[in-house]
């Protein structure tokens, strides 16, 4: 690393705004804080500027991602606003909740008013007349120190630097078993010494315990909860899939009823099996032109809530893989009015808290539990996720028992460190990096459209008809590209991008590819992608006729609980008969497994579901026409088949009469 780059990393810029229209006083405060910054230790690069009023302050906060702290003069005067300091504090908190806000007061009576009207937004107070600028500067620097702290990562680095001899797991002993090996020494060089030295075990007490955190992991989780707007946050090292299952087992006992989007991630359906709950499946909307599944229509959710007053839980996915997100607030309000807890799978939306273009988040809309794949769109390592809790009736002991049931007793400490670092980056520079991602996304959309052969789809293109009036929004950093005029199939296009241009995309349907812009998006990457698409477009292939995916059949009905069907031995029947036609022997039988074509990843069958003719016809057609689709859950030993309940097994199981 060059000295310049190292210096830049060691000395970030943290802008402090002083908002006041008392110009002489403001100038004195700004000059005093700047002098303090020059004389005192200033590791976070605090630099101070004056701003004359609320409009200018809001404009600077939106335009400058390096603004970290705002000091607001309680004596701010503006026409038409009875409490301009209060209004500005609340407005800035709405725009960028990660910013630290301090109020400059005249007396304690003003403090009482601020606490009453804006306590949720305020981080601290100073008294104008004291003007202890050196003391103020130290407090602001300490505020940045807490925001930028990475307690677990720092302790992990400290331990590695101690260079302790390892007489404990893991077996590679800090990489010593690999180093210098003629057979596997290249792995040591590839992974790196620091990474291997940091791969430790629970035998190191100073690094705390993920299963019972009381030290640096607990502190890191507290900082994450503050950053994401949760009462409690928990780090998960085996993905959002396991996080969903933990919450299910915490909230649901065998026989409890829940409402769920049929389009939920398969981990949610696995959670249904593990919990023994009684699911009520809500069919999602479908954009048939592009083979994209959207949110459940709002009225379907409301009807589901009304028809199932005994339901304990509602779980939804927002945003979807393709970037479609619910108008959650009215849905959550309706669920809460019926006494239903709401879980939102935000696996693809962990960044939303840190830019106003993406908000409100599920927590801000009132969700009780939120799971996030921090690794998907922020800077954590793969499998590193978070569980956020805002449930006022949260049973932490029960949650911890379920969490520990699913969590390894040997968690990967590098994953925990990456969560700590990802949170720090999100609160300190997330806004700036997301603003860049949004600009690049807009630029890339224009460049894609200019090729003539590819088209970046907008919200109106993606919205299924059934949800056009539901207030659904699009995450613009997820770009779905219509490739139908290019002459390429999606498989051919992905291969060409990969082999000829060194580009890997996120996913595809039969006539689209999806691009994901994250904090790591750069203009250079945009330029290379545009160049690749332009070159492919110039090949002037004739547009091709695409065979659309057959429409996924509607949900039939449950004959028994998913868990009951899954744990039976069942019997195996072929999907196709001897003539290669859909096997009529499957009609009316009850499936034991979850059958999921991927993409798009929506279960066609879940355990306990009655198999009907359209379902078998759908699966058979997929196998014949869509060779690239993976068929999760089908038996593949000799030919495709399904595991179904025997008549004797079904007769002994409790029925699902409640479902109908």
């Amino acid at each position: 690393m060059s000295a310049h780059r190292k210096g830049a990393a060691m000395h970030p810029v943290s802008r402090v705004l002083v908002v006041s229209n008392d110009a002489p006083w403001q100038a004195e405060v700004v000059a005093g804080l700047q002098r303090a910054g020059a004389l005192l230790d200033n590791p976070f690069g605090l630099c101070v500027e004056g701003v004359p009023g609320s409009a200018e302050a809001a404009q600077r906060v939106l335009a400058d991602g390096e603004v970290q702290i705002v000091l607001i003069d309680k004596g701010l005067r503006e026409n038409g606003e009875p409490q301009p300091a209060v209004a500005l504090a609340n407005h800035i908190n709405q725009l960028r909740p990660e910013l630290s806000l301090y109020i400059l007061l005249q007396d304690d009576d003003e403090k009482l008013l601020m606490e009453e009207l804006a306590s949720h937004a305020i981080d601290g107070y100073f008294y104008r007349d004291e003007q202890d600028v050196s003391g103020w500067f130290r407090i602001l620097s300490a505020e940045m120190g807490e925001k930028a702290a990475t307690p677990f990562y720092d302790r992990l680095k400290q331990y590695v630097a101690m260079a302790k001899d390892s007489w404990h797991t893991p077996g590679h002993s800090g990489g010593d078993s690999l180093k210098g090996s003629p057979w596997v020494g290249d792995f040591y060089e590839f992974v790196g010494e620091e990474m291997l030295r940091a791969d430790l075990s629970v035998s190191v007490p100073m690094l705390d315990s993920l299963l019972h955190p009381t030290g640096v992991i607990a502190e890191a989780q507290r900082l994450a909860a503050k950053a994401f707007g949760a009462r409690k946050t928990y780090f998960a090292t085996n993905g959002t899939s396991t996080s969903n299952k933990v919450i299910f087992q915490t909230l649901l006992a065998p026989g409890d009823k829940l409402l769920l989007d049929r389009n939920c991630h398969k981990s949610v359906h696995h959670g249904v099996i593990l919990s023994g709950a009684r699911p009520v499946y809500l069919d999602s909307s479908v954009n048939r032109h592009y083979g994209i599944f959207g949110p459940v229509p709002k009225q379907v959710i409301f009807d589901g809530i009304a028809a199932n007053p005994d339901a304990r839980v509602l779980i939804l996915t927002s945003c979807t893989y393709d970037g479609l997100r619910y108008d959650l607030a009215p849905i959550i309000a309706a669920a809460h009015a019926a006494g239903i807890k709401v879980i939102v799978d935000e696996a693809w939306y962990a960044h939303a808290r840190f830019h106003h273009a993406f908000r409100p988040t599920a927590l801000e809309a009132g969700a009780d539990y939120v799971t996030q794949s921090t690794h998907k769109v922020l800077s954590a390592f793969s499998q590193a996720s978070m569980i956020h809790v805002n449930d006022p009736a949260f049973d932490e002991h029960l949650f911890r028992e379920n969490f520990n049931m699913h969590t390894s007793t040997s968690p990967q400490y590098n994953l925990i460190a990456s969560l700590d670092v990802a949170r720090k980056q999100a609160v300190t520079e997330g806004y700036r990096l997301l603003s860049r991602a949004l600009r690049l996304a807009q630029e890339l959309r224009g460049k894609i459209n200019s090729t003539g052969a590819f088209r970046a789809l907008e919200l109106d293109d993606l919205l299924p008809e059934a949800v056009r009036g539901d207030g659904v929004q699009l995450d613009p950093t997820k770009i779905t590209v219509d490739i139908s005029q290019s002459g390429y199939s999606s498989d051919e296009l992905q291969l060409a991008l990969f082999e000829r241009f060194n580009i890997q995309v996120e996913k595809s349907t039969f006539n689209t590819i999806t691009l994901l812009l994250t904090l790591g998006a750069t203009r250079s990457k945009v330029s290379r992608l545009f160049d690749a698409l332009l070159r492919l477009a110039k090949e002037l292939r004739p547009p091709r006729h695409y065979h659309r995916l057959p429409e996924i059949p509607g949900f039939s009905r449950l004959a028994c609980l998913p868990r009951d069907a899954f744990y039976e031995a069942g019997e195996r029947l072929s999907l196709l008969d001897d003539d290669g036609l859909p096997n009529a022997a499957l009609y009316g039988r009850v499936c034991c497994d979850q059958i999921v074509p991927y993409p798009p990843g929506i279960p066609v069958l879940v355990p306990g579901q009655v198999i009907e003719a359209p379902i078998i016809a759908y699966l058979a057609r997929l196998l014949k026409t869509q060779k690239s689709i993976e068929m999760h859950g089908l038996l593949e030993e000799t030919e495709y088949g399904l595991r179904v309940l025997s008549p004797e097994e079904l007769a002994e199981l409790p029925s699902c009469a409640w479902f109908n």
Side-chain angles (χ1 to χ4, degrees):
M1 179 180 289
S2 69
H4 174 74
R5 289 188 63 197
K6 186 179 293 185
M10 293 297 291
H11 296 92
V13 174
S14 300
R15 198 96 58 209
V16 180
L17 303 183
V18 180
V19 186
S20 176
N21 42 32
D22 182 346
W25 174 87
Q26 182 191 62
E28 188 176 348
V29 168
V30 169
L33 288 171
Q34 288 174 336
R35 284 195 302 272
L39 295 172
L40 300 173
D41 187 28
N42 189 10
F44 306 108
L46 270 67
C47 55
V48 189
E49 298 179 11
V51 181
S54 296
E56 295 85 353
Q59 185 178 15
R60 283 300 304 277
V61 162
L62 288 175
D64 189 350
E66 291 181 334
V67 172
Q68 300 285 358
I69 301 174
V70 182
L71 278 59
I72 303 173
D73 181 4
K74 177 59 181 67
L76 194 64
R77 295 287 181 266
E78 294 184 353
N79 294 332
E81 179 59 64
Q83 294 292 338
V86 172
L88 179 58
N90 285 326
H91 184 47
I92 290 176
N93 184 254
Q94 284 295 314
L95 294 175
R96 291 183 59 186
E98 79 279 9
L99 296 186
S100 300
L101 301 182
Y102 282 74
I103 302 297
L104 298 154
L105 303 172
Q106 288 280 12
D107 52 44
D108 286 335
D109 289 342
E110 290 183 336
K111 181 177 181 180
L112 292 174
L113 178 64
M114 293 300 301
E115 285 291 313
E116 179 181 351
L117 298 178
S119 61
H120 66 285
I122 305 302
D123 293 281
Y125 300 91
F126 299 131
Y127 287 93
R128 285 174 103 251
D129 295 338
E130 290 181 354
Q131 289 203 33
D132 176 16
V133 289
S134 292
W136 293 1
F137 187 89
R138 287 188 176 94
I139 290 172
L140 297 179
S141 186
E143 175 76 21
M144 282 306 304
E146 179 177 359
K147 183 184 294 188
T150 47
F152 180 81
Y153 171 53
D154 290 346
R155 186 65 60 86
L156 183 63
K157 286 192 298 180
Q158 179 187 358
Y159 183 84
V160 170
M162 291 177 178
K164 302 293 185 183
D165 279 347
S166 171
W167 292 85
H168 55 75
T169 59
H172 62 69
S173 194
D176 289 340
S177 70
L178 304 166
K179 184 169 53 176
S181 167
W183 297 98
V184 293
D186 61 323
F187 184 72
Y188 180 91
E189 299 298 331
F190 176 73
V191 174
E193 179 180 358
E194 301 291 352
M195 186 75 75
L196 289 165
R197 295 290 176 197
D199 183 21
L200 297 160
S201 82
V202 291
S203 303
V204 184
M206 68 177 283
L207 294 176
D208 206 1
S209 166
L210 185 64
L211 277 70
H212 185 67
T214 57
V216 286
I217 293 178
E219 178 63 12
Q221 291 182 156
R222 183 191 69 79
L223 290 172
K226 180 179 180 181
F228 287 89
R231 297 186 182 190
K232 292 276 189 179
T233 290
Y234 299 86
F235 291 171
T237 57
N238 41 0
T240 300
S241 295
T242 294
S243 300
N244 287 333
K245 297 166 193 172
V246 169
I247 297 175
F248 265 47
Q249 288 191 194
T250 301
L251 295 181
L252 296 164
D256 285 344
K257 186 186 288 187
L258 78 150
L259 307 173
L260 70 158
D261 179 355
R262 188 182 173 196
N263 189 24
C264 283
H265 188 263
K266 63 181 183 178
S267 63
V268 171
H269 301 281
H270 291 153
V272 171
I273 295 170
L274 293 173
S275 66
R278 299 186 296 168
V280 176
Y281 294 101
L282 308 174
D283 277 328
S284 59
S285 57
V286 184
N287 182 324
R288 292 179 172 84
H289 183 72
Y290 292 111
I292 290 172
F293 291 78
V296 177
K298 190 178 290 186
Q299 192 57 52
V300 171
I301 298 173
F302 291 154
D303 291 346
I305 291 171
N308 297 276
D310 54 339
R312 290 180 54 84
V313 167
L314 165 67
I315 181 166
L316 298 171
T317 303
S318 186
C319 66
T320 67
Y321 203 171
D322 303 286
L324 298 174
R325 62 185 179 96
Y326 288 89
D327 175 20
L328 284 172
I331 295 170
I332 293 172
H336 284 171
I340 298 172
K341 300 292 184 186
V342 179
I343 308 167
V344 177
D345 183 335
E346 271 191 335
W348 293 97
Y349 213 52
H351 57 295
R353 173 76 169 176
F354 306 101
H355 201 288
H356 58 89
F358 304 102
R359 297 171 62 216
T361 67
L363 288 174
E364 291 167 342
D368 300 289
Y369 297 85
V370 170
T371 57
Q372 291 178 340
S373 295
T374 320
H375 65 93
K376 279 184 165 65
V377 287
L378 296 176
S379 296
F381 287 167
S382 291
Q383 291 187 218
S385 296
M386 293 188 192
I387 301 171
H388 303 297
V389 181
N390 266 356
D391 183 359
F394 178 52
D395 186 336
E396 186 165 16
H397 171 75
L398 181 59
F399 174 87
R400 176 61 63 186
E401 289 298 298
N402 285 290
F403 183 88
N404 290 352
M405 186 184 301
H406 287 276
T407 299
S408 172
T409 54
S410 300
Q412 233 295 349
Y413 282 154
N414 288 302
L415 297 184
I416 302 172
S418 77
L419 286 168
D420 208 8
V421 170
R423 184 271 315 155
K424 172 182 177 177
Q425 183 180 45
V427 297
T428 56
E429 59 178 350
Y431 181 82
R432 177 176 63 83
L433 295 175
L434 286 169
S435 294
R436 181 181 69 181
L438 286 166
R439 289 194 301 271
L440 292 176
Q442 183 177 15
E443 177 183 328
L444 181 57
R445 288 173 183 274
K447 289 180 178 297
I448 290 170
N449 293 340
S450 72
T451 65
F454 302 98
R455 186 168 71 92
L457 301 180
E458 302 297 338
L459 176 62
D460 193 58
D461 299 306
L462 293 167
L463 271 184
E465 287 295 330
V467 294
R468 286 193 175 272
D470 286 357
V472 175
Q473 297 295 315
L474 175 66
D475 176 352
T477 63
K478 297 173 177 64
I479 302 180
T480 302
V481 181
D482 183 345
I483 67 171
S484 55
Q485 296 302 305
S486 70
Y488 280 88
S489 71
S490 59
D491 289 344
E492 290 171 343
L493 181 60
Q494 288 186 87
L495 187 64
L497 288 172
F498 183 79
E499 292 190 343
R500 293 168 55 185
F501 302 102
N502 294 325
I503 290 170
Q504 177 65 56
V505 303
E506 176 62 35
K507 76 174 185 75
S508 66
T509 67
F510 62 97
N511 60 353
T512 70
I513 60 170
T514 297
L515 310 169
L516 184 64
L517 283 84
T518 67
L519 301 186
T522 65
R523 176 156 277 105
S524 295
K525 291 180 182 178
V526 168
S527 177
R528 289 194 292 271
L529 177 61
F530 171 56
D531 178 69
L533 293 178
L534 191 60
R535 288 173 183 270
L536 293 171
K538 287 179 178 179
E539 294 179 357
L540 299 176
R541 289 190 174 197
R544 57 186 295 146
H545 176 71
Y546 292 91
H547 296 284
R548 288 190 190 176
L549 286 171
E551 292 185 15
I552 186 171
F555 192 83
S556 54
R557 61 185 178 87
L558 289 178
C560 61
L561 286 178
R563 185 179 69 170
D564 290 345
F566 181 79
Y567 283 114
E568 292 292 337
E571 58 180 323
R572 303 182 178 194
L573 296 180
S574 295
L575 179 66
L576 305 176
D577 62 20
D578 293 339
D579 297 321
L581 300 174
N583 187 0
L586 286 166
Y587 302 166
R589 301 299 293 271
V590 177
C591 193
C592 293
D593 295 313
Q594 184 172 263
I595 311 300
V596 185
Y598 186 84
I602 298 175
V604 178
L605 287 166
V606 297
Q609 183 178 345
V610 176
I611 300 170
E612 295 180 342
I615 296 173
I616 301 303
Y618 172 80
L619 292 173
R621 184 177 172 192
L622 278 185
L623 290 174
K624 291 181 178 180
T625 62
Q626 304 292 328
K627 301 298 185 182
S628 64
I629 286 182
E630 300 173 15
M631 298 296 290
H632 300 171
L634 287 183
L635 304 165
E636 299 184 40
E637 288 87 346
T638 54
E639 59 182 2
Y640 285 109
L642 281 76
R643 188 168 67 96
V644 298
L645 290 176
S646 70
E648 295 77 18
E649 289 170 334
L650 179 60
E652 293 180 1
L653 293 177
S655 72
C656 276
W658 53 268
F659 184 82
N660 304 307

